[in-house]
Amino acid sequence: MRMSERVEWAAHCAVLLALLPDGRSLTAAQLAEYHGVPGPYLAKSLQALMQAGIVASRSGRSGGYRLARAADAVSLLDVFDAIEGEGAFFRCTEIRRRGPSRVAAARYTPVCGVAGAMWEAEQAWRASLARVNIADLAAGTVADAPPEAVAKGVRWLATVRVT
Amino acid sequence: MRMSERVEWAAHCAVLLALLPDGRSLTAAQLAEYHGVPGPYLAKSLQALMQAGIVASRSGRSGGYRLARAADAVSLLDVFDAIEGEGAFFRCTEIRRRGPSRVAAARYTPVCGVAGAMWEAEQAWRASLARVNIADLAAGTVADAPPEAVAKGVRWLATVRVT
DNA sequence: CCTAACTCGGATATCAGATATCCGAGTTCT
DNA sequence: AGAACTCGGATATCTGATATCCGAGTTAGG
Ligand code: SF4
Ligand code: SF4
């Protein structure tokens, strides 16, 4: 059970957008160049973030992406759900209701113990991710990254066409 | 991000084995019939449980599977890891080190904030699953299942060839 | 106001992992 | 010793993820 690497891309894009000066935006191609990932494929992830209301896009000649709301109002869980969809890790196949011990469907409890335990674990996971927001990650990124890398990033930002 | 349905099969197999009378075992074909799943494919999951030391197999004419240790010493997490492997949900691609802001690899912190948050959430998930063991699930299954289903299960167990 | 260029958005090929299955090696009872 | 039955790993098929393309729509500029 491995999550799509697009989640990592989307999270880092959100962090970078959070670090932009006010009013500034970046195109899909610029975000792809900065992270060194295939551009047309990253676009797909940005579309997902858009449908989830995390980023806003502006079309046309000077278009691009920017965060749709304040960075501290976007949790890492929001990003994950936007990319991976909201389906649970564990999906019941109702194997209780097959085989020789089956009885009428109405007689069963809604979920058995296995499903309950899985659901509870998943809630713990989601709660942990929900506690982290993009603003925290952006601050941490600047603080933890090598100073030279930050400087190079700022320099790069100055070279790309302002949109 | 969806977990394999084989995890559900394996968990239910473990519960059923935990409910068996002492010394009794079931073949892969019998476990498959009871749960209504494709036999040869379930065998693959049982092999995984075997390699993880959760079940023990006995070959030959009166062979079959039984739990390798006490049911309360097998957690749901053990079953999950046996089937899905132990790789983390989130795997770093090190996109920090690509693109225009990269610097020498040695200058980076081991993991960035994104990876740290993901890892922490995963630990919460694992801790929750580790708190549930097969003995609890077995007791819950008998308590929550429709009495008639339990009776049919017991009857079925009496009809299959004793191994 | 018109043009032109540039953007996003969804529709389209390619690939990996999961799903489902088979037959041979080994073991136990007769 | 023999025979039948078991597990175990090696083998096809298929769904979902990965990577890409071109058209619809929008904005800046002339
Ligand atoms: S409720 Fe239990 S038996 Fe039914 S599908 Fe979910 S895990 Fe399987
Ligand atoms: S440490 Fe951060 S930047 Fe590096 S691969 Fe992991 S998530 Fe991506």
Side-chain angles (χ1 to χ4, degrees):
Chain A
M1 193 170 74
R2 181 178 181 166
M3 84 170 65
S4 167
E5 57 187 341
R6 297 199 335 263
V7 174
E8 180 185 354
W9 301 355
H12 280 283
C13 284
V15 168
L16 182 55
L17 291 177
L19 291 171
L20 285 181
D22 255 7
R24 189 79 187 273
S25 63
L26 290 173
T27 70
Q30 290 166 344
L31 285 166
E33 181 197 349
Y34 185 86
H35 291 113
V37 299
Y41 187 33
L42 177 64
K44 191 184 177 70
S45 304
L46 290 169
Q47 287 167 29
L49 290 181
M50 167 106 171
Q51 288 177 353
I54 294 172
V55 302
S57 71
R58 184 181 166 83
S59 298
R61 193 162 172 186
S62 66
Y65 287 97
R66 61 179 173 77
L67 283 185
R69 29 187 165 117
D72 61 7
V74 178
S75 73
L76 198 50
L77 180 62
D78 294 333
V79 174
F80 175 85
D81 279 343
I83 300 295
E84 287 280 347
E86 301 198 3
F89 300 166
F90 181 81
R91 324 251 176 114
C92 289
T93 317
E94 287 303 346
I95 70 177
R96 283 186 301 179
R97 305 187 188 177
R98 311 182 206 168
S101 77
R102 71 174 167 285
V103 297
R107 314 273 301 271
Y108 288 101
T109 52
V111 294
C112 77
V114 174
M118 290 289 185
W119 186 81
E120 197 165 326
E122 190 162 337
Q123 289 307 113
W125 184 82
R126 294 178 68 85
S128 179
L129 276 194
R131 279 192 292 272
V132 181
N133 68 53
I134 298 299
D136 297 337
L137 291 175
T141 296
V142 174
D144 293 342
E148 191 183 338
V150 175
K152 288 180 85 167
V154 170
R155 222 177 307 149
W156 173 84
L157 192 62
T159 66
V160 301
R161 204 178 113 222
V162 175
T163 55
Chain B
M1 194 170 74
R2 181 178 181 168
M3 84 170 64
S4 168
E5 57 188 340
R6 297 198 335 263
V7 174
E8 180 184 353
W9 299 356
H12 280 282
C13 284
V15 168
L16 183 54
L17 291 177
L19 290 171
L20 284 181
D22 254 7
R24 188 79 186 271
S25 64
L26 290 174
T27 70
Q30 289 166 345
L31 284 167
E33 180 197 349
Y34 185 86
H35 292 111
V37 300
Y41 188 33
L42 177 65
K44 190 184 175 74
S45 306
L46 291 170
Q47 286 168 28
L49 290 181
M50 166 106 170
Q51 288 178 353
I54 295 172
V55 301
S57 70
R58 184 182 166 83
S59 298
R61 194 165 173 186
S62 67
Y65 287 96
R66 62 181 173 76
L67 283 185
R69 27 188 167 118
D72 61 6
V74 178
S75 73
L76 198 51
L77 180 62
D78 294 332
V79 173
F80 175 85
D81 280 342
I83 300 295
E84 287 281 347
E86 302 199 4
F89 300 167
F90 181 81
R91 325 253 176 112
C92 288
T93 316
E94 286 303 348
I95 70 175
R96 283 186 301 180
R97 305 187 188 177
R98 311 183 207 169
S101 75
R102 71 172 168 285
V103 297
R107 316 274 301 271
Y108 288 102
T109 52
V111 294
C112 77
V114 175
M118 290 289 185
W119 186 81
E120 196 165 329
E122 190 162 337
Q123 289 307 112
W125 184 82
R126 294 178 67 84
S128 180
L129 275 194
R131 278 192 293 274
V132 181
N133 68 54
I134 298 298
D136 296 336
L137 291 176
T141 295
V142 173
D144 293 344
E148 190 184 336
V150 175
K152 288 180 85 166
V154 171
R155 221 177 307 149
W156 173 84
L157 192 61
T159 66
V160 300
R161 204 178 111 221
V162 174
T163 56

